[in-house]
């Protein structure tokens, strides 16, 4: 039982050291991820269209 209490106390102490992000940081991270994913997906779609067109014209 003593080990369990010690584990709980250590866990509580470590959790108090954690710095949780604020709303603005979460929003900025979301916008950054959204922009990067959108740019990469548009780039891949463009490459797909180019390769599809070149393959269909080749055949």
């Amino acid at each position: 039982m003593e080990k369990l209490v010690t584990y709980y106390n250590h866990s509580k102490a470590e959790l108090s050291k954690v710095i949780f992000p604020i709303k603005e940081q979460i929003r900025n991270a979301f916008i950054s991820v959204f922009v990067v994913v959108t740019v990469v997906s548009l780039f891949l779609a463009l490459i797909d269209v180019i390769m599809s067109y070149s393959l269909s014209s080749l055949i």
Side-chain angles (χ1 to χ4, degrees):
M1 187 69 178
E2 184 179 324
K3 287 184 178 181
L4 186 61
V5 172
T6 304
Y7 174 76
Y8 176 76
N9 288 334
H10 285 293
S11 298
K12 191 174 176 182
E14 288 297 320
L15 194 57
S16 68
K17 296 177 187 176
V18 175
I19 301 172
F20 292 99
I22 59 175
K23 278 187 176 182
E24 184 179 334
Q25 291 172 331
I26 294 171
R27 188 176 340 115
N28 289 341
F30 173 77
I31 291 171
S32 299
V33 169
F34 185 78
V35 167
V36 168
V37 167
T38 303
V39 168
V40 168
S41 63
L42 289 174
F43 174 73
L44 291 175
L46 179 66
I47 296 297
D48 184 49
V49 166
I50 292 171
M51 292 181 76
S52 176
Y53 177 75
S54 64
L55 186 63
S56 64
S57 67
L58 193 72
I59 295 175

